[in-house]
């Protein structure tokens, strides 16, 4: 737990742009909430590695979002089933299902499409929110935060030294 | 600041390569495990594969030494193959479909011995294996404590009486609500007083007839509505009466059903005449029941295949099928070649167009197997699925003059009854659809020589001796009727041998026992004749409705508008 906190603090205090960190939160949300073995997650992994998305934040948020994904799985399945069976959308799904990408995307599984939709909405909301919070932290809270006893203890620990090096 | 991380791209492709290599190395193990798990679950006994060879260019799979244990004899294999080899259509794989041009099974053997038991530990994950071993013993009728057996029996009649009384009370409650004196009478009185008011006004002045025309119309409308409600109540009376009458019929049949159930506990459920069903049934009817269960499973799941929903893994959710433009099934085996031999027999078989989902193959699936050697045998199976809700499977099988060396005749608690020599002839013809089954299987064994287990009783020994003295044994198994309620019947020339072996005295004792059990059941159930009076309430409700209807009809007749 302390290691995770130290990692997050280190990244937050670094000079990495808030956009890079917010994008990591956003993309970790999609990978975490949707079933891992899905085609779109391969694409997201490529984006994460290709572009300078912060890997530490991505790797920290991924398991957290996976837990959230498991918790909301029944809701996602219900939502997915409704989307897949909505009469107005059936022709679109039908033509998508008959493409190679459509066949491998697993979007015809209620849990995949439902979770993806929830994840996209969450990630769209989380990107500006986390960017704003990071900016707020760096501008206003950083000094106050460093006065906290736990932060001082953490900074004095070997663990922090290890991450600083 | 650079936004692209080139080492990241390289890492991605290296990771992808590693994943592919790991999959390629693990795929044979995964395939073998999947076949073993799914096969064992479907069969109800161990399915094992020694090794799997996988090649990517072209995509081909070889399953080496696949064995499937016999669920009824776990130390024997139902199927033992040296190798199963097939190549997959790469184009179809791109569409996540398995299309096999030719599946070759070589070194096929049946009934081979196993070194270890093929029984599944703890049984099947779903469902239970069919119990074949039966207790072939007649009760000592002198020592039976009939009263205690009947007292402890969970009699169906008593349950049915309770259900009948509950339905009766529920119906009574509904009727008391529907014919609630206050509301029912109040509505009638209101109509009556409105009629009297309007009539009086019309009597006083004829012109009021024109003035009150709206009120007259309204009155007529409410009479019509009331009569319509009465008509529907009248229908309900008929329906409720019918429901209770049917339930009463079932109550009256209860003592008979209870008698059969209690006599079953003594091994005489269908009387002495039902012994062939009891002793030979478990050996010869389970495969019919499996065919019926198979058809039932498709009947409940079958649908058009478009927008069909199927439960998949947790989190992935349900799979929704959309109209597939690639109209071949998810699994299609275009051709199967079977070959094998063992001591005294050889096998040659061919199969065509076997697929899942079967209605997507567009052609009937066919399987033709021929056995040669000591005798001749032929199995022809054809299954046609013109659509998801229509299926016709035909089976024709002929065995002519096949010398028997060891054939299990039946299984009792003491052990197996085995025919050690004889000549088998069989003819099986049948048709199975999603609605009905029509199957006739006749078997005959000429010059049977039976070996029996130790520890059997005298009448069983007498039965075995009689069997051994027969020139020919005949069995006829018929299964027909609907899939939901199939009627399976086994007739055999052994019937008489059973009766002879049991003896006339035992038969008489069995009849006496039946009488005593019947009396004990009657005593426990008590008098149920009072239930016949259920129609009394209906008569009362009926006359109440009829009176009101007559009154309203009379008023309606008097209205001039």
């Amino acid at each position: 737990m302390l290691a995770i906190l130290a990692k997050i603090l280190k990244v937050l205090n670094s000079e990495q742009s808030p956009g890079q960190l917010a994008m990591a939160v956003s993309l970790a949300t999609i990978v975490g909430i949707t079933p891992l073995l899905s085609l779109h997650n391969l694409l997201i992994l490529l984006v994460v590695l290709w572009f300078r998305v912060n890997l530490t934040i991505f790797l920290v948020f991924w398991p957290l979002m996976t837990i959230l994904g498991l918790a909301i799985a029944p809701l996602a399945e219900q939502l997915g089933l409704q989307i897949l069976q909505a009469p107005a959308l059936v022709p679109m799904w039908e033509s998508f299902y008959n493409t190679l990408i459509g066949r491998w995307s697993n979007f015809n599984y209620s849990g995949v499409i439902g979770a993806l939709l929830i994840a996209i909405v969450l990630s769209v909301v989380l990107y500006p929110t986390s960017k704003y919070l990071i900016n707020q932290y760096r501008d206003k809270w950083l000094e106050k935060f460093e006065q906290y006893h736990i932060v001082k203890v953490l900074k004095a620990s070997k663990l922090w030294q290890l991450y600083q090096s | 600041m650079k936004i692209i991380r080139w080492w990241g791209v390289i890492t991605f492709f290296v990771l992808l390569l590693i994943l592919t290599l790991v999959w390629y190395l693990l795929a044979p193990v995964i395939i073998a495990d999947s076949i073993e798990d799914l096969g064992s679950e479907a069969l109800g006994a161990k399915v094992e594969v020694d090794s799997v060879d996988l090649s990517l260019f072209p995509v081909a799979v070889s399953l080496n030494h696949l064995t499937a244990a016999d669920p009824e004899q776990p130390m024997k294999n139902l199927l033992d193959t040296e190798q199963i080899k097939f190549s997959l259509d790469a184009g179809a794989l791109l569409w996540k479909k398995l299309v096999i041009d030719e599946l070759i099974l070589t070194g096929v053997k049946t009934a081979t011995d196993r070194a270890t038991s093929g029984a599944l530990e703890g049984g099947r994950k779903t469902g239970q294996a069919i119990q074949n071993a039966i207790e072939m013993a007649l009760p000592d009728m002198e020592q039976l404590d009939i009263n205690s057996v009947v007292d402890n029996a969970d009699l169906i009649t008593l349950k049915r009486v309770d259900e009948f009384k509950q339905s009766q009370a529920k119906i009574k409650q509904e009727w008391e609500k529907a014919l609630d004196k206050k509301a029912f009478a109040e509505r009638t009185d209101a109509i009556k007083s409105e009629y009297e008011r309007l009539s009086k006004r019309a009597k006083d002045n004829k012109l009021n007839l024109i003035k009150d025309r709206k009120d007259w119309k309204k009155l007529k409308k409410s009479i019509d509505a009331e009569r319509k409600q009465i008509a529907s109540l009248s229908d309900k009376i008929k329906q409720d009466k019918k429901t209770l009458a049917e339930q009463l019929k079932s109550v009256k049949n209860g003592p008979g059903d209870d008698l059969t159930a209690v006599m079953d506990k003594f091994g005489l459920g269908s009387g002495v005449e039902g012994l062939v069903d009891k002793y030979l049934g478990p050996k010869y009817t389970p495969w019919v029941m499996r065919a019926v269960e198979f058809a039932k499973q498709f009947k409940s799941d079958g649908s058009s295949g478009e927008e069909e929903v199927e439960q998949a893994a947790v989190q992935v959710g349900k799979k929704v099928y959309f109209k597939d433009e690639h109209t071949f099934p998810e699994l299609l085996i275009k051709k199967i070649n079977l070959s094998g031999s063992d001591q005294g027999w050889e096998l040659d078989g061919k199969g065509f167009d076997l697929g899942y989902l079967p209605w997507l193959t567009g052609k009937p699936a066919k399987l033709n197997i021929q056995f040669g050697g000591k005798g001749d045998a032929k199995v022809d199976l054809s299954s046609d699925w013109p659509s998801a809700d229509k299926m016709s499977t035909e089976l024709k099988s002929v065995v002519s003059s096949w010398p028997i060396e060891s054939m299990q005749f039946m299984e009792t608690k003491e052990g197996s009854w085995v025919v050690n020599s004889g000549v088998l002839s069989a003819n099986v013809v049948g048709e199975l659809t999603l609605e009905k089954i029509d199957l006739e299987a006749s078997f005959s064994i000429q010059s049977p020589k039976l070996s029996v287990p130790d520890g059997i009783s005298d009448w069983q020994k007498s039965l075995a001796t009689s069997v051994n003295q027969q020139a020919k044994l005949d069995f006829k198994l018929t299964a027909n009727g609907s899939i939901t309620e199939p009627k399976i019947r086994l007739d055999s020339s052994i019937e008489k041998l059973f009766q002879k072996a049991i003896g006339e005295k035992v038969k008489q004792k069995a009849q006496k026992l039946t009488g005593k059990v019947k009396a004990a059941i009657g005593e426990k159930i008590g008098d149920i004749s009072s239930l016949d009076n259920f129609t009394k309430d209906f008569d009362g409700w009926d006359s109440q409705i009829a009176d009101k209807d007559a009154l309203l009809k009379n008023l309606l007749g008097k209205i001039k508008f």
Side-chain angles (χ1 to χ4, degrees):
Chain A
M1 191 66 195
L2 274 177
I4 293 170
L5 198 64
K7 273 183 189 179
I8 295 174
L9 282 176
K10 192 200 159 199
V11 172
L12 285 174
N13 299 344
S14 72
E15 285 177 3
Q16 284 219 352
S17 81
Q20 280 174 288
L21 304 181
M23 186 54 82
V25 174
S26 213
L27 294 176
T29 304
I30 299 179
V31 177
I33 287 182
T34 59
L36 181 64
L37 298 173
S38 306
L39 192 65
H40 64 267
N41 281 341
L42 204 65
L43 187 75
I44 287 176
L45 194 65
L46 178 65
V47 170
V48 168
L49 289 170
W50 196 337
F51 299 101
R52 290 189 179 271
V53 175
N54 187 279
L55 286 175
T56 307
I57 292 288
F58 180 80
L59 291 173
V60 166
F61 272 82
W62 179 358
L64 293 177
M65 290 300 176
T66 303
I67 296 167
L68 178 68
L70 285 170
I72 62 164
L75 173 78
E77 284 177 28
Q78 225 174 350
L79 175 72
L81 205 61
Q82 278 178 5
I83 297 166
L84 289 171
Q85 290 179 326
L89 298 177
V90 167
M92 182 195 83
W93 292 124
E94 209 168 279
S95 49
F96 184 60
Y97 182 68
N98 284 294
T99 62
L100 269 182
I101 291 178
R103 200 54 66 100
W104 287 92
S105 67
N106 281 350
F107 284 179
N108 61 321
Y109 284 91
S110 61
V112 177
I113 192 69
L116 182 63
L117 201 82
I118 293 173
I120 288 172
V121 171
L122 261 179
S123 68
V124 166
V125 175
L126 276 177
Y127 179 76
T129 311
S130 44
K131 202 172 165 183
Y132 171 78
L133 288 174
I134 293 160
N135 280 327
Q136 288 291 307
Y137 168 80
R138 285 181 178 172
D139 295 345
K140 293 179 184 172
W141 305 334
L142 183 58
E143 278 179 28
K144 278 185 196 171
F145 207 69
E146 286 190 338
Q147 303 304 316
Y148 288 145
H149 181 67
I150 185 160
V151 178
K152 281 181 185 168
V153 171
L154 198 65
K155 281 197 160 184
S157 70
K158 278 184 182 174
L159 198 72
W160 182 264
Q161 308 300 327
L162 200 71
Y163 281 114
Q164 284 294 96
S165 58
Chain B
M1 187 186 75
K2 286 179 188 173
I3 61 159
I4 289 175
R5 187 159 47 192
W6 289 108
W7 66 262
V9 184
I10 297 164
T11 310
F12 175 80
F13 286 106
V14 168
L15 273 175
L16 210 61
L17 190 72
I18 292 170
L19 273 174
T20 313
L21 279 174
V22 168
W23 178 86
Y24 180 69
L25 292 172
L26 289 180
V29 182
I30 296 168
I31 292 171
D33 279 354
S34 307
I35 290 171
E36 287 179 353
D37 286 352
L38 295 173
S40 302
E41 182 57 20
L43 185 68
K46 275 183 190 168
V47 172
E48 289 161 323
V49 183
D50 270 6
S51 64
V52 174
D53 296 329
L54 180 72
S55 86
L56 286 183
F57 304 104
V59 188
V61 181
S62 290
L63 309 176
N64 302 315
H65 197 220
L66 181 142
T67 56
D70 187 341
E72 282 146 33
Q73 298 174 73
M75 292 309 289
K76 294 252 177 207
N77 281 319
L78 201 63
L79 181 78
D80 184 336
T81 61
E82 212 172 274
Q83 194 181 50
I84 300 176
K85 209 172 170 180
F86 56 91
S87 59
L88 291 159
D89 184 332
L93 260 186
L94 273 179
W95 292 100
K96 292 176 105 176
K97 295 184 180 207
L98 297 176
V99 174
I100 297 165
D101 286 323
E102 190 172 3
L103 186 135
I104 303 163
L105 288 93
T106 48
V108 178
K109 289 179 186 173
T110 58
T112 52
D113 292 323
R114 291 178 60 91
T116 55
S117 169
L120 291 180
E121 276 172 36
R124 256 184 201 167
K125 285 175 199 149
T126 54
Q128 289 298 311
I130 294 163
Q131 182 65 35
N132 272 352
I134 40 114
E135 193 167 355
M136 193 184 186
L138 288 174
D140 184 353
M141 293 175 215
E142 305 297 330
Q143 301 297 319
L144 290 173
D145 184 359
I146 297 162
N147 285 330
S148 121
V149 173
V150 172
D151 276 346
N152 293 327
D154 195 8
L155 297 185
I156 191 93
T157 313
L158 295 175
K159 279 185 189 164
R160 288 179 188 168
V161 168
D162 274 351
E163 279 167 13
F164 177 83
K165 284 183 176 167
Q166 275 171 22
S167 301
Q168 201 178 14
K170 196 181 157 208
I171 287 172
K172 198 171 178 181
Q173 205 180 6
E174 281 171 9
W175 275 100
E176 275 165 3
K177 203 177 163 193
L179 302 178
D180 172 32
K181 261 190 183 170
K182 207 177 160 203
F184 197 68
E186 262 174 15
R187 284 201 310 273
T188 317
D189 289 347
I191 288 171
K192 229 164 129 181
S193 63
E194 177 67 354
Y195 171 77
E196 278 160 9
R197 184 183 73 83
L198 293 173
S199 300
K200 194 170 174 285
R201 274 174 60 79
K203 223 174 181 180
D204 293 347
N205 186 350
K206 293 273 181 204
L207 280 176
N208 280 341
L209 269 176
I210 299 166
K211 275 186 190 167
D212 296 339
R213 66 185 187 283
K214 274 186 184 168
D215 288 343
W216 280 107
K217 267 185 188 171
K218 204 175 155 192
L219 178 66
K220 201 181 164 197
K221 228 175 179 178
S222 30
I223 293 175
D224 282 341
E226 200 67 17
R227 289 196 73 202
K228 209 171 171 184
Q229 200 195 345
I230 286 172
S232 81
L233 285 175
S234 188
D235 286 344
K236 187 176 156 39
I237 275 199
K238 280 177 201 156
Q239 189 54 46
D240 287 348
K241 219 170 174 177
K242 198 178 159 193
T243 309
L244 284 182
E246 275 168 10
Q247 271 190 307
L248 185 64
K249 195 178 163 191
S250 165
V251 169
K252 285 185 174 173
N253 288 337
D257 296 340
D258 281 327
L259 180 65
T260 311
V262 174
M263 292 301 282
D264 250 345
K265 290 187 180 169
F266 301 135
L268 295 163
S270 310
V272 176
E273 287 73 21
L275 288 174
V276 164
D277 275 351
K278 178 175 162 58
Y279 295 136
L280 295 183
K283 180 73 198 156
Y284 296 97
T285 57
W287 55 275
V288 180
M289 287 314 294
R290 279 184 200 139
V292 168
E293 288 303 322
F294 170 78
K296 266 191 204 166
Q297 173 197 328
F298 272 95
K299 195 175 167 59
S300 55
D301 288 351
S303 70
S304 64
E306 290 173 26
E307 273 192 70
E308 186 189 337
V309 178
E310 187 182 276
Q311 184 62 48
V314 182
Q315 217 197 352
V316 175
K318 291 186 172 99
K319 185 178 180 183
V320 179
Y321 286 96
F322 292 101
K323 191 177 176 187
D324 195 349
E325 284 165 11
H326 304 85
T327 51
F328 43 88
E330 288 188 13
L331 171 67
L332 173 65
I333 304 170
K334 290 182 182 169
K335 193 177 170 188
I336 294 183
N337 254 316
L338 282 162
S339 64
S341 62
D342 207 344
Q343 283 180 338
W345 62 267
E346 67 260 353
L347 170 153
D348 184 27
K350 281 191 172 35
F352 301 92
D353 302 309
L354 276 82
Y356 181 83
L357 305 159
W359 51 89
L360 292 178
T361 59
K363 293 176 189 171
K366 283 182 182 165
L367 190 66
N368 313 110
I369 303 173
Q370 279 189 314
F371 293 87
K374 290 174 185 169
D376 284 316
K378 205 175 150 191
V379 179
D380 291 324
L381 187 74
S382 158
S383 185
D384 191 11
W385 294 75
S387 63
D389 50 12
K390 211 169 175 190
M391 177 271 273
S392 169
T393 298
E394 282 178 24
L395 169 73
K396 277 182 199 163
S397 178
V398 180
V399 179
S400 37
S401 309
W402 196 285
I404 299 169
E405 282 170 2
S406 172
M407 176 186 157
Q408 201 186 41
F409 181 64
M410 63 183 174
E411 181 83 21
T412 63
K413 295 282 182 201
E414 295 83 11
S416 294
W417 292 48
V418 180
V419 180
N420 285 329
S421 74
V423 179
L424 173 77
S425 296
N427 192 14
V428 183
V429 183
E431 192 188 350
L432 178 72
T433 69
L434 293 177
E435 285 78 36
K436 62 182 183 70
I437 181 168
D438 185 7
L439 182 125
E440 200 167 285
S442 52
F443 306 89
S444 73
I445 303 171
Q446 282 181 319
S447 317
K449 287 287 164 276
L450 195 64
S451 76
V452 292
D454 293 332
I456 57 173
S457 64
D458 286 345
W459 77 269
Q460 291 168 348
K461 278 179 194 158
S462 161
L463 172 69
T465 311
S466 312
V467 169
N468 282 332
Q469 284 166 355
Q470 297 300 301
K472 194 168 97 170
L473 291 180
D474 289 311
F475 307 84
K476 194 175 168 192
L477 177 74
T478 49
N480 46 41
S482 69
I483 287 295
T484 44
E485 277 180 53
K487 285 175 189 147
I488 302 172
R489 191 177 158 72
L490 192 65
D491 295 304
S492 166
S493 57
I494 309 167
E495 187 112 32
K496 280 179 191 156
L497 301 182
F498 265 118
Q499 292 186 21
K500 207 172 140 191
I502 288 165
E504 199 56 40
K505 267 189 183 172
V506 179
K507 268 170 75 181
Q508 281 169 9
K509 279 183 186 172
Q511 276 166 4
K512 208 172 159 188
L513 178 74
T514 308
K516 282 182 183 170
V517 172
K518 204 173 172 179
I521 289 172
E523 205 175 305
K524 189 175 173 183
I525 292 168
D527 185 18
I528 51 171
S529 61
S530 60
L531 298 178
D532 282 323
N533 295 333
F534 80 94
T535 50
K536 265 188 184 170
D537 285 337
F538 285 97
D539 294 343
W541 299 325
D542 222 0
S543 81
Q544 210 176 330
I545 287 171
D547 289 350
K548 184 170 173 174
D549 194 43
L551 175 83
L552 294 173
K553 203 177 166 187
N554 185 32
L555 290 181
L556 204 61
K558 288 178 186 170
I559 297 173
K560 302 286 183 290
F561 280 94

